[in-house]
Every structure is written in structure tokens, then in C-alpha cells.
Amino acid sequence: MPLRVIFMGTPDFSVPILRAVAGAGHEIVAVYTQPPRAAGRRGLELTPSPVQREAERLGLEVRTPISLKGEAEQRAFAALQADAAVVVAYGLLLPKAVLEATRLGCLNGHASLLPRWRGAAPIQRAIMAGDAETGMMVMKMEEGLDTGPVAMVEKCAIAPDMTAGELHDRLMGMGASLMVEALTRLGINCLTFALQATEGVTYARKIDKSETRVDWTRPSGEVHNHIRGLSPFPGAWCEVDIGGRIERLKLLRSTLFDGVGESGGILDDRLTVACGAGAVRLVEVQRAGGKPAAAQEFLRGAKIEKGMKLK
């Protein structure tokens, strides 16, 4: 049975789910997304969110409130008389009045196996922690941070060299089909919910730029997970001397490799770097102001030799 749905989301991750919900025949009565942000080199251009661009392409009403805490915004939300809200990486807290304003509640698409990795950065944190598995979940929202009961789960293996960007794209597709199925079941009153476990709760705090620099004294497994967990954005990085000039080098892809040496030391001519224990081989890097490049391509333009050190 088609439902009257409010969609709430902001980044690229949310777009396929918006598209899938619209394609499934539900009536999307409004799309809520973050306001346009300053962009461009000078920060003078206002750029709409990916969700806003897709909603406008679909001919849907778009709303971009700065907050939903005010009574006027809450009344406007309730006046839509929606059956349900679908929330995917929206970026604003939903007050109790909003959570209770729809007939069937708010469904949230979350990219982890709750209660592990509640919060803002579940994809990055899962890889940085070395998790072998994650998934998408559809849950019913409540006032706590990602604490609501879970309706649907689809699991996904995390390959040893998978980056956050690759996992993001995999889960994005899974989330679209999962949410459509959840709405189908909700519409015929057969969507059931189970409480989250009370054990195994972890929090995926937002990635801070201060934690992105690589610490070569850590074991190779941790360094490798750090690199792939922050790729492509915001990107793990280190400093390297290129022709007598210290440059910041973004590390986009790596693989574990056997090797022993001083932490941060270059072990060969293929960009293998010693860690506190073991080594990693850098597979893809990016110089400041440059484009991503395979390691061998980078080495053709930068004289990085065995015995040099990354910092």
C-alpha cells in the first residue's frame, strides 16, 4: 500500500534511498535536507545538498530548515499529515514532537550492525577498528542516539583492503532496497521490531581532522585500517621530503606487507613502509593539489628511495 512519506536526508548516501522510495510508488509529500552550504574556492557560492538536487529533479517539495526545535517548524512538519518519515543521514536532531508527528513513526536507515557504531561515522569507524562485517539496518527512531528497535538487517562483509568509499557505495545500494521493503511491510502492518542488545554498544564519533595523520609507530594492521578507513575522505596523510621540499601526501589505498625497519622508513622501490610492527605497501596516493595516482605513477614523478622516511 503506498504511503505518504516525508524523506529526510542530506549527502550522496541518502540519494539512492530517496530515488528508490519515490520509484516504489510512495507519495513523498516533502523532502527535508540541510540548507545549501558555501562552496567554491572563495566560499561564496551556495551549493545545495545532493538530496536537494535529486528532490528537485524529481519535482518534489524541498524544505531546508536550520533547526526543527521551533514550534513553527514542528507545526509545518505535522501539517503534512504523513504516514511515516524516512530518515537517512539527515544531520539534524529530531525533537520528540517531530518523531511523534507521523502516523507510523520515523524509520531510520543506519549503516552499521547496531548497537555497534551508533553515531555519525559508522562506516569509517568499522574499518578503522578492523571489523570484518557490517551492514545496513532499518530501525524506528526514538529520542536516544540510534537506540531504537530494529526492523530489518542486511549484513555485508568488509574485505581486507576495502576502503570506506567502497563500503559506502556498497551499503548505499543495500539501504535503498532494504528501506523499500521496510515501507512495503509497514504499509500492510507487518513490519516487526526487535529491541537492540544492551551489550556491545560502541559509538562512531565524527571523524576529526586531528586524528587523520598516520602514526607509523603503530602496528601495520592498525596503520592499514587507518588508511583505508579514511579513504577517500578526509584522507589519512603523512609528510614526505620530495626534492628538498616537505609535502603532505594523502594515502588512499594500501595493503599489508612483510617487512622490518624503522617506523616510517621506506623499505624498497615500491613504496613499502615500515610500521611499529610489520609494514604496509602504499598502493594509491595523492600529492597536495594533485590527483590520486597509483604508487608507481607517483614514484615516476617523485624521487622516493629506500632508506628515506615518511613522517
Side-chain angles (χ1 to χ4, degrees), residues 167-230:
L167 182 57
H168 168 282
D169 292 350
R170 176 80 183 276
L171 294 174
M172 185 167 63
M174 289 168 54
S177 57
L178 203 66
M179 186 61 73
V180 168
E181 177 62 22
L183 289 174
T184 298
R185 296 186 186 186
L186 187 67
I188 58 175
N189 198 31
C190 68
L191 186 66
T192 58
F193 296 88
L195 295 177
Q196 292 185 32
T198 56
E199 298 179 353
V201 176
T202 58
Y203 289 94
R205 70 183 186 280
K206 185 178 178 180
I207 302 295
D208 191 280
K209 289 185 178 180
S210 66
E211 62 182 307
T212 56
R213 186 170 189 166
V214 173
D215 179 358
W216 297 108
T217 66
R218 293 165 65 184
S220 57
E222 293 183 14
V223 171
H224 176 55
N225 292 339
H226 184 80
I227 291 171
R228 64 196 186 99
L230 294 176

Short mmCIF file of all heavy atoms in Angstrom, two decimals, residues 167-230:
data_model
loop_
_atom_site.label_atom_id
_atom_site.label_comp_id
_atom_site.label_asym_id
_atom_site.label_seq_id
_atom_site.Cartn_x
_atom_site.Cartn_y
_atom_site.Cartn_z
N LEU A 167 32.98 0.75 0.75
CA LEU A 167 31.94 0.24 1.64
C LEU A 167 30.73 1.17 1.63
O LEU A 167 29.58 0.70 1.65
CB LEU A 167 32.50 0.09 3.06
CG LEU A 167 31.54 -0.48 4.11
CD1 LEU A 167 31.02 -1.85 3.69
CD2 LEU A 167 32.23 -0.55 5.47
N HIS A 168 30.97 2.45 1.61
CA HIS A 168 29.90 3.45 1.50
C HIS A 168 29.00 3.14 0.30
O HIS A 168 27.77 3.08 0.41
CB HIS A 168 30.53 4.83 1.35
CG HIS A 168 29.62 5.94 0.95
ND1 HIS A 168 29.20 6.13 -0.35
CD2 HIS A 168 29.05 6.94 1.67
CE1 HIS A 168 28.41 7.18 -0.41
NE2 HIS A 168 28.31 7.70 0.80
N ASP A 169 29.60 2.90 -0.85
CA ASP A 169 28.82 2.65 -2.06
C ASP A 169 28.06 1.33 -1.98
O ASP A 169 26.94 1.22 -2.47
CB ASP A 169 29.73 2.66 -3.28
CG ASP A 169 30.30 4.05 -3.57
OD1 ASP A 169 29.84 5.02 -2.94
OD2 ASP A 169 31.22 4.15 -4.41
N ARG A 170 28.67 0.34 -1.38
CA ARG A 170 28.01 -0.97 -1.23
C ARG A 170 26.78 -0.85 -0.33
O ARG A 170 25.69 -1.33 -0.65
CB ARG A 170 29.01 -1.98 -0.65
CG ARG A 170 28.43 -3.35 -0.35
CD ARG A 170 28.31 -4.21 -1.58
NE ARG A 170 27.69 -5.47 -1.27
CZ ARG A 170 28.35 -6.55 -0.80
NH1 ARG A 170 29.66 -6.46 -0.59
NH2 ARG A 170 27.72 -7.67 -0.55
N LEU A 171 26.95 -0.20 0.81
CA LEU A 171 25.85 -0.06 1.77
C LEU A 171 24.76 0.86 1.25
O LEU A 171 23.57 0.68 1.55
CB LEU A 171 26.38 0.45 3.11
CG LEU A 171 27.32 -0.50 3.86
CD1 LEU A 171 27.88 0.19 5.10
CD2 LEU A 171 26.61 -1.79 4.24
N MET A 172 25.15 1.84 0.45
CA MET A 172 24.18 2.78 -0.13
C MET A 172 23.16 2.03 -0.98
O MET A 172 21.95 2.28 -0.89
CB MET A 172 24.96 3.80 -0.97
CG MET A 172 24.16 4.92 -1.55
SD MET A 172 25.26 6.24 -2.19
CE MET A 172 26.15 5.35 -3.48
N GLY A 173 23.64 1.09 -1.81
CA GLY A 173 22.73 0.30 -2.62
C GLY A 173 21.88 -0.64 -1.79
O GLY A 173 20.68 -0.80 -2.05
N MET A 174 22.49 -1.25 -0.79
CA MET A 174 21.74 -2.15 0.09
C MET A 174 20.64 -1.40 0.83
O MET A 174 19.53 -1.90 1.01
CB MET A 174 22.70 -2.80 1.10
CG MET A 174 23.66 -3.82 0.49
SD MET A 174 24.98 -4.31 1.63
CE MET A 174 24.06 -4.82 3.08
N GLY A 175 20.95 -0.19 1.26
CA GLY A 175 19.99 0.59 2.03
C GLY A 175 18.75 0.94 1.24
O GLY A 175 17.64 1.01 1.80
N ALA A 176 18.90 1.15 -0.07
CA ALA A 176 17.75 1.51 -0.90
C ALA A 176 16.73 0.38 -0.95
O ALA A 176 15.53 0.58 -0.71
CB ALA A 176 18.23 1.86 -2.31
N SER A 177 17.19 -0.83 -1.24
CA SER A 177 16.26 -1.96 -1.33
C SER A 177 15.69 -2.32 0.04
O SER A 177 14.52 -2.70 0.16
CB SER A 177 16.97 -3.17 -1.95
OG SER A 177 18.12 -3.52 -1.21
N LEU A 178 16.51 -2.17 1.08
CA LEU A 178 16.05 -2.52 2.43
C LEU A 178 14.94 -1.56 2.88
O LEU A 178 13.94 -2.00 3.46
CB LEU A 178 17.24 -2.46 3.39
CG LEU A 178 17.12 -3.27 4.68
CD1 LEU A 178 17.08 -4.76 4.37
CD2 LEU A 178 18.30 -2.98 5.60
N MET A 179 15.10 -0.28 2.61
CA MET A 179 14.09 0.69 3.04
C MET A 179 12.79 0.50 2.27
O MET A 179 11.69 0.63 2.84
CB MET A 179 14.61 2.12 2.86
CG MET A 179 13.68 3.18 3.43
SD MET A 179 13.40 3.03 5.23
CE MET A 179 14.98 3.60 5.86
N VAL A 180 12.88 0.20 0.99
CA VAL A 180 11.66 -0.04 0.20
C VAL A 180 10.90 -1.23 0.77
O VAL A 180 9.67 -1.19 0.91
CB VAL A 180 12.01 -0.25 -1.28
CG1 VAL A 180 10.80 -0.79 -2.04
CG2 VAL A 180 12.46 1.05 -1.91
N GLU A 181 11.62 -2.28 1.12
CA GLU A 181 10.97 -3.46 1.70
C GLU A 181 10.34 -3.12 3.05
O GLU A 181 9.23 -3.57 3.36
CB GLU A 181 11.98 -4.59 1.85
CG GLU A 181 11.45 -5.86 2.51
CD GLU A 181 10.33 -6.54 1.73
OE1 GLU A 181 10.23 -6.30 0.51
OE2 GLU A 181 9.55 -7.30 2.33
N ALA A 182 11.04 -2.32 3.84
CA ALA A 182 10.50 -1.94 5.14
C ALA A 182 9.21 -1.15 4.99
O ALA A 182 8.23 -1.38 5.73
CB ALA A 182 11.53 -1.12 5.91
N LEU A 183 9.15 -0.23 4.04
CA LEU A 183 7.94 0.56 3.82
C LEU A 183 6.80 -0.31 3.30
O LEU A 183 5.63 -0.10 3.65
CB LEU A 183 8.22 1.70 2.85
CG LEU A 183 9.09 2.85 3.38
CD1 LEU A 183 9.41 3.84 2.27
CD2 LEU A 183 8.40 3.56 4.55
N THR A 184 7.13 -1.28 2.47
CA THR A 184 6.10 -2.20 1.98
C THR A 184 5.46 -2.94 3.14
O THR A 184 4.23 -3.05 3.24
CB THR A 184 6.71 -3.21 0.99
OG1 THR A 184 7.22 -2.49 -0.14
CG2 THR A 184 5.67 -4.21 0.52
N ARG A 185 6.30 -3.44 4.03
CA ARG A 185 5.77 -4.17 5.20
C ARG A 185 5.03 -3.24 6.14
O ARG A 185 4.01 -3.62 6.73
CB ARG A 185 6.92 -4.86 5.93
CG ARG A 185 7.63 -5.94 5.12
CD ARG A 185 8.66 -6.67 5.97
NE ARG A 185 9.43 -7.62 5.18
CZ ARG A 185 10.32 -8.47 5.69
NH1 ARG A 185 10.53 -8.47 7.00
NH2 ARG A 185 10.98 -9.30 4.92
N LEU A 186 5.55 -2.01 6.29
CA LEU A 186 4.87 -1.05 7.16
C LEU A 186 3.48 -0.75 6.63
O LEU A 186 2.52 -0.63 7.40
CB LEU A 186 5.71 0.24 7.24
CG LEU A 186 5.24 1.30 8.23
CD1 LEU A 186 5.40 0.81 9.67
CD2 LEU A 186 6.04 2.59 8.03
N GLY A 187 3.35 -0.65 5.32
CA GLY A 187 2.07 -0.30 4.71
C GLY A 187 1.00 -1.36 4.88
O GLY A 187 -0.19 -1.06 4.81
N ILE A 188 1.42 -2.62 5.08
CA ILE A 188 0.44 -3.70 5.29
C ILE A 188 0.45 -4.20 6.73
O ILE A 188 -0.01 -5.30 7.03
CB ILE A 188 0.68 -4.87 4.30
CG1 ILE A 188 2.09 -5.42 4.44
CG2 ILE A 188 0.41 -4.41 2.88
CD1 ILE A 188 2.35 -6.66 3.58
N ASN A 189 1.04 -3.37 7.60
CA ASN A 189 1.02 -3.63 9.04
C ASN A 189 1.70 -4.95 9.42
O ASN A 189 1.24 -5.66 10.32
CB ASN A 189 -0.43 -3.62 9.56
CG ASN A 189 -0.48 -3.44 11.08
OD1 ASN A 189 0.38 -2.78 11.66
ND2 ASN A 189 -1.49 -4.02 11.71
N CYS A 190 2.81 -5.26 8.74
CA CYS A 190 3.51 -6.48 9.13
C CYS A 190 5.01 -6.24 9.32
O CYS A 190 5.83 -7.15 9.18
CB CYS A 190 3.27 -7.61 8.15
SG CYS A 190 4.00 -7.37 6.53
N LEU A 191 5.39 -5.00 9.64
CA LEU A 191 6.79 -4.70 9.95
C LEU A 191 6.97 -4.84 11.46
O LEU A 191 6.36 -4.12 12.24
CB LEU A 191 7.14 -3.27 9.52
CG LEU A 191 8.61 -2.87 9.67
CD1 LEU A 191 9.49 -3.68 8.72
CD2 LEU A 191 8.80 -1.37 9.40
N THR A 192 7.80 -5.78 11.86
CA THR A 192 8.01 -6.05 13.29
C THR A 192 9.36 -5.50 13.73
O THR A 192 10.30 -5.39 12.94
CB THR A 192 7.94 -7.54 13.58
OG1 THR A 192 8.91 -8.23 12.80
CG2 THR A 192 6.55 -8.10 13.26
N PHE A 193 9.47 -5.18 15.01
CA PHE A 193 10.67 -4.55 15.56
C PHE A 193 11.20 -5.38 16.73
O PHE A 193 10.44 -5.98 17.48
CB PHE A 193 10.37 -3.14 16.04
CG PHE A 193 9.96 -2.20 14.95
CD1 PHE A 193 8.62 -2.10 14.56
CD2 PHE A 193 10.89 -1.42 14.29
CE1 PHE A 193 8.23 -1.23 13.55
CE2 PHE A 193 10.50 -0.55 13.28
CZ PHE A 193 9.18 -0.46 12.91
N ALA A 194 12.53 -5.39 16.87
CA ALA A 194 13.18 -6.07 17.99
C ALA A 194 14.09 -5.08 18.70
O ALA A 194 14.80 -4.29 18.05
CB ALA A 194 13.99 -7.27 17.50
N LEU A 195 14.10 -5.12 20.02
CA LEU A 195 14.95 -4.22 20.79
C LEU A 195 16.42 -4.51 20.51
O LEU A 195 16.82 -5.66 20.27
CB LEU A 195 14.69 -4.38 22.29
CG LEU A 195 13.29 -3.97 22.78
CD1 LEU A 195 13.16 -4.26 24.27
CD2 LEU A 195 13.03 -2.49 22.50
N GLN A 196 17.23 -3.48 20.53
CA GLN A 196 18.67 -3.67 20.38
C GLN A 196 19.24 -4.35 21.62
O GLN A 196 18.72 -4.20 22.72
CB GLN A 196 19.37 -2.32 20.17
CG GLN A 196 19.05 -1.64 18.86
CD GLN A 196 19.87 -0.38 18.68
OE1 GLN A 196 21.01 -0.28 19.14
NE2 GLN A 196 19.29 0.60 18.00
N ALA A 197 20.34 -5.06 21.42
CA ALA A 197 21.04 -5.67 22.55
C ALA A 197 21.59 -4.58 23.46
O ALA A 197 21.91 -3.47 23.01
CB ALA A 197 22.19 -6.55 22.05
N THR A 198 21.68 -4.88 24.74
CA THR A 198 22.22 -3.91 25.70
C THR A 198 23.74 -4.02 25.79
O THR A 198 24.40 -3.13 26.32
CB THR A 198 21.61 -4.15 27.09
OG1 THR A 198 21.84 -5.51 27.49
CG2 THR A 198 20.10 -3.88 27.05
N GLU A 199 24.31 -5.11 25.27
CA GLU A 199 25.76 -5.29 25.29
C GLU A 199 26.34 -5.00 23.91
O GLU A 199 25.66 -5.11 22.90
CB GLU A 199 26.12 -6.72 25.71
CG GLU A 199 25.66 -7.08 27.13
CD GLU A 199 26.01 -8.50 27.52
OE1 GLU A 199 26.49 -9.25 26.63
OE2 GLU A 199 25.82 -8.86 28.68
N GLY A 200 27.61 -4.65 23.88
CA GLY A 200 28.29 -4.41 22.60
C GLY A 200 28.05 -3.04 22.01
O GLY A 200 28.26 -2.83 20.81
N VAL A 201 27.62 -2.09 22.84
CA VAL A 201 27.36 -0.73 22.34
C VAL A 201 28.69 0.00 22.12
O VAL A 201 29.55 0.04 23.01
CB VAL A 201 26.50 0.07 23.34
CG1 VAL A 201 26.33 1.51 22.87
CG2 VAL A 201 25.16 -0.61 23.54
N THR A 202 28.87 0.55 20.93
CA THR A 202 30.02 1.41 20.64
C THR A 202 29.52 2.65 19.91
O THR A 202 28.45 2.62 19.29
CB THR A 202 31.10 0.71 19.79
OG1 THR A 202 30.51 0.28 18.56
CG2 THR A 202 31.70 -0.48 20.51
N TYR A 203 30.31 3.72 19.97
CA TYR A 203 29.90 4.98 19.36
C TYR A 203 30.88 5.40 18.26
O TYR A 203 32.10 5.38 18.45
CB TYR A 203 29.78 6.07 20.42
CG TYR A 203 28.59 5.84 21.32
CD1 TYR A 203 28.73 5.15 22.51
CD2 TYR A 203 27.32 6.26 20.94
CE1 TYR A 203 27.64 4.90 23.33
CE2 TYR A 203 26.22 6.01 21.75
CZ TYR A 203 26.38 5.34 22.94
OH TYR A 203 25.30 5.08 23.72
N ALA A 204 30.31 5.75 17.11
CA ALA A 204 31.10 6.17 15.95
C ALA A 204 31.15 7.68 15.91
O ALA A 204 30.41 8.33 15.17
CB ALA A 204 30.48 5.61 14.67
N ARG A 205 32.04 8.25 16.72
CA ARG A 205 32.12 9.71 16.77
C ARG A 205 32.58 10.26 15.42
O ARG A 205 33.26 9.58 14.65
CB ARG A 205 33.05 10.17 17.88
CG ARG A 205 34.51 9.90 17.63
CD ARG A 205 35.37 10.33 18.83
NE ARG A 205 36.80 10.19 18.53
CZ ARG A 205 37.48 9.07 18.58
NH1 ARG A 205 36.86 7.94 18.92
NH2 ARG A 205 38.78 9.05 18.29
N LYS A 206 32.20 11.47 15.14
CA LYS A 206 32.57 12.13 13.90
C LYS A 206 34.09 12.17 13.74
O LYS A 206 34.82 12.37 14.71
CB LYS A 206 32.01 13.57 13.91
CG LYS A 206 32.22 14.33 12.62
CD LYS A 206 31.58 15.71 12.72
CE LYS A 206 31.81 16.52 11.45
NZ LYS A 206 31.19 17.87 11.53
N ILE A 207 34.56 11.96 12.51
CA ILE A 207 35.99 11.99 12.25
C ILE A 207 36.51 13.42 12.42
O ILE A 207 35.99 14.36 11.84
CB ILE A 207 36.31 11.49 10.83
CG1 ILE A 207 35.79 10.07 10.62
CG2 ILE A 207 37.82 11.57 10.57
CD1 ILE A 207 36.43 9.02 11.47
N ASP A 208 37.55 13.55 13.23
CA ASP A 208 38.17 14.86 13.44
C ASP A 208 39.48 14.92 12.64
O ASP A 208 40.22 13.94 12.58
CB ASP A 208 38.46 15.06 14.93
CG ASP A 208 38.88 16.49 15.25
OD1 ASP A 208 40.05 16.82 15.01
OD2 ASP A 208 38.04 17.26 15.73
N LYS A 209 39.74 16.06 12.04
CA LYS A 209 40.96 16.19 11.23
C LYS A 209 42.23 15.93 12.04
O LYS A 209 43.25 15.51 11.49
CB LYS A 209 41.01 17.58 10.59
CG LYS A 209 39.99 17.78 9.48
CD LYS A 209 40.16 19.12 8.79
CE LYS A 209 39.17 19.28 7.65
NZ LYS A 209 39.32 20.59 6.95
N SER A 210 42.16 16.14 13.34
CA SER A 210 43.34 15.95 14.18
C SER A 210 43.77 14.49 14.28
O SER A 210 44.90 14.19 14.68
CB SER A 210 43.08 16.50 15.59
OG SER A 210 42.07 15.74 16.24
N GLU A 211 42.89 13.57 13.91
CA GLU A 211 43.23 12.14 14.00
C GLU A 211 43.59 11.52 12.66
O GLU A 211 43.75 10.30 12.55
CB GLU A 211 42.07 11.36 14.65
CG GLU A 211 40.78 11.40 13.86
CD GLU A 211 39.65 10.65 14.54
OE1 GLU A 211 39.83 9.47 14.91
OE2 GLU A 211 38.58 11.26 14.72
N THR A 212 43.71 12.32 11.62
CA THR A 212 43.91 11.76 10.29
C THR A 212 45.37 11.47 9.95
O THR A 212 45.65 10.68 9.05
CB THR A 212 43.32 12.69 9.21
OG1 THR A 212 43.90 14.00 9.35
CG2 THR A 212 41.81 12.79 9.35
N ARG A 213 46.31 12.09 10.64
CA ARG A 213 47.72 11.84 10.34
C ARG A 213 48.11 10.42 10.72
O ARG A 213 47.72 9.91 11.78
CB ARG A 213 48.60 12.84 11.08
CG ARG A 213 50.08 12.74 10.70
CD ARG A 213 50.88 13.90 11.26
NE ARG A 213 52.24 13.94 10.72
CZ ARG A 213 53.05 14.97 10.84
NH1 ARG A 213 52.64 16.06 11.48
NH2 ARG A 213 54.26 14.93 10.31
N VAL A 214 48.89 9.77 9.89
CA VAL A 214 49.32 8.39 10.13
C VAL A 214 50.41 8.37 11.20
O VAL A 214 51.36 9.16 11.16
CB VAL A 214 49.84 7.74 8.84
CG1 VAL A 214 50.45 6.37 9.13
CG2 VAL A 214 48.72 7.61 7.82
N ASP A 215 50.27 7.46 12.14
CA ASP A 215 51.29 7.21 13.16
C ASP A 215 52.01 5.92 12.77
O ASP A 215 51.50 4.83 12.99
CB ASP A 215 50.63 7.09 14.53
CG ASP A 215 51.63 6.82 15.65
OD1 ASP A 215 52.84 6.69 15.35
OD2 ASP A 215 51.21 6.73 16.81
N TRP A 216 53.20 6.06 12.21
CA TRP A 216 53.92 4.89 11.69
C TRP A 216 54.43 3.99 12.80
O TRP A 216 54.89 2.86 12.52
CB TRP A 216 55.07 5.34 10.80
CG TRP A 216 54.63 6.08 9.58
CD1 TRP A 216 54.76 7.41 9.33
CD2 TRP A 216 53.95 5.54 8.44
NE1 TRP A 216 54.21 7.74 8.11
CE2 TRP A 216 53.70 6.61 7.54
CE3 TRP A 216 53.52 4.26 8.09
CZ2 TRP A 216 53.06 6.44 6.31
CZ3 TRP A 216 52.87 4.07 6.87
CH2 TRP A 216 52.65 5.14 6.00
N THR A 217 54.38 4.42 14.06
CA THR A 217 54.84 3.57 15.16
C THR A 217 53.79 2.52 15.53
O THR A 217 54.08 1.60 16.29
CB THR A 217 55.18 4.39 16.41
OG1 THR A 217 53.99 5.00 16.94
CG2 THR A 217 56.19 5.48 16.08
N ARG A 218 52.60 2.65 15.00
CA ARG A 218 51.55 1.67 15.28
C ARG A 218 51.78 0.41 14.45
O ARG A 218 52.46 0.44 13.41
CB ARG A 218 50.18 2.27 14.97
CG ARG A 218 49.80 3.41 15.90
CD ARG A 218 48.65 4.22 15.36
NE ARG A 218 47.41 3.47 15.28
CZ ARG A 218 46.28 3.95 14.77
NH1 ARG A 218 46.26 5.19 14.29
NH2 ARG A 218 45.20 3.21 14.71
N PRO A 219 51.22 -0.74 14.85
CA PRO A 219 51.36 -1.97 14.07
C PRO A 219 50.78 -1.80 12.67
O PRO A 219 49.86 -1.00 12.45
CB PRO A 219 50.57 -3.00 14.89
CG PRO A 219 50.51 -2.44 16.27
CD PRO A 219 50.48 -0.95 16.11
N SER A 220 51.30 -2.56 11.73
CA SER A 220 50.89 -2.41 10.33
C SER A 220 49.39 -2.59 10.12
O SER A 220 48.79 -1.91 9.30
CB SER A 220 51.66 -3.41 9.45
OG SER A 220 51.45 -4.74 9.89
N GLY A 221 48.77 -3.51 10.86
CA GLY A 221 47.33 -3.72 10.71
C GLY A 221 46.54 -2.47 11.06
O GLY A 221 45.57 -2.11 10.38
N GLU A 222 46.96 -1.78 12.12
CA GLU A 222 46.27 -0.56 12.53
C GLU A 222 46.51 0.56 11.53
O GLU A 222 45.60 1.34 11.22
CB GLU A 222 46.74 -0.14 13.92
CG GLU A 222 46.33 -1.11 15.02
CD GLU A 222 46.76 -0.64 16.39
OE1 GLU A 222 47.13 0.54 16.53
OE2 GLU A 222 46.71 -1.45 17.34
N VAL A 223 47.73 0.66 11.01
CA VAL A 223 48.03 1.69 10.01
C VAL A 223 47.21 1.45 8.75
O VAL A 223 46.62 2.38 8.17
CB VAL A 223 49.53 1.70 9.68
CG1 VAL A 223 49.82 2.61 8.49
CG2 VAL A 223 50.33 2.16 10.89
N HIS A 224 47.16 0.20 8.30
CA HIS A 224 46.39 -0.15 7.10
C HIS A 224 44.91 0.17 7.29
O HIS A 224 44.27 0.76 6.40
CB HIS A 224 46.57 -1.65 6.84
CG HIS A 224 45.77 -2.19 5.70
ND1 HIS A 224 45.82 -1.66 4.42
CD2 HIS A 224 44.87 -3.23 5.64
CE1 HIS A 224 45.01 -2.35 3.63
NE2 HIS A 224 44.42 -3.29 4.35
N ASN A 225 44.35 -0.17 8.44
CA ASN A 225 42.94 0.13 8.69
C ASN A 225 42.68 1.62 8.79
O ASN A 225 41.63 2.11 8.38
CB ASN A 225 42.49 -0.56 9.99
CG ASN A 225 42.47 -2.06 9.87
OD1 ASN A 225 42.42 -2.61 8.77
ND2 ASN A 225 42.54 -2.76 11.01
N HIS A 226 43.65 2.35 9.31
CA HIS A 226 43.54 3.81 9.40
C HIS A 226 43.49 4.43 8.00
O HIS A 226 42.64 5.28 7.71
CB HIS A 226 44.75 4.35 10.17
CG HIS A 226 44.73 5.81 10.43
ND1 HIS A 226 44.00 6.39 11.44
CD2 HIS A 226 45.35 6.85 9.80
CE1 HIS A 226 44.17 7.70 11.43
NE2 HIS A 226 44.99 8.01 10.44
N ILE A 227 44.36 3.95 7.12
CA ILE A 227 44.41 4.48 5.76
C ILE A 227 43.12 4.19 5.01
O ILE A 227 42.51 5.09 4.42
CB ILE A 227 45.63 3.90 5.01
CG1 ILE A 227 46.93 4.45 5.60
CG2 ILE A 227 45.54 4.21 3.50
CD1 ILE A 227 48.18 3.76 5.08
N ARG A 228 42.68 2.96 5.00
CA ARG A 228 41.50 2.61 4.22
C ARG A 228 40.21 3.12 4.86
O ARG A 228 39.24 3.43 4.17
CB ARG A 228 41.43 1.11 3.96
CG ARG A 228 41.27 0.23 5.18
CD ARG A 228 41.60 -1.23 4.87
NE ARG A 228 41.31 -2.11 5.99
CZ ARG A 228 40.21 -2.86 6.11
NH1 ARG A 228 39.32 -2.87 5.13
NH2 ARG A 228 40.00 -3.62 7.16
N GLY A 229 40.21 3.27 6.19
CA GLY A 229 39.03 3.78 6.87
C GLY A 229 38.79 5.26 6.62
O GLY A 229 37.67 5.74 6.78
N LEU A 230 39.83 5.99 6.22
CA LEU A 230 39.70 7.42 5.97
C LEU A 230 39.75 7.75 4.48
O LEU A 230 39.84 8.91 4.10
CB LEU A 230 40.81 8.18 6.70
CG LEU A 230 40.74 8.13 8.22
CD1 LEU A 230 41.94 8.82 8.84
CD2 LEU A 230 39.45 8.72 8.76
#
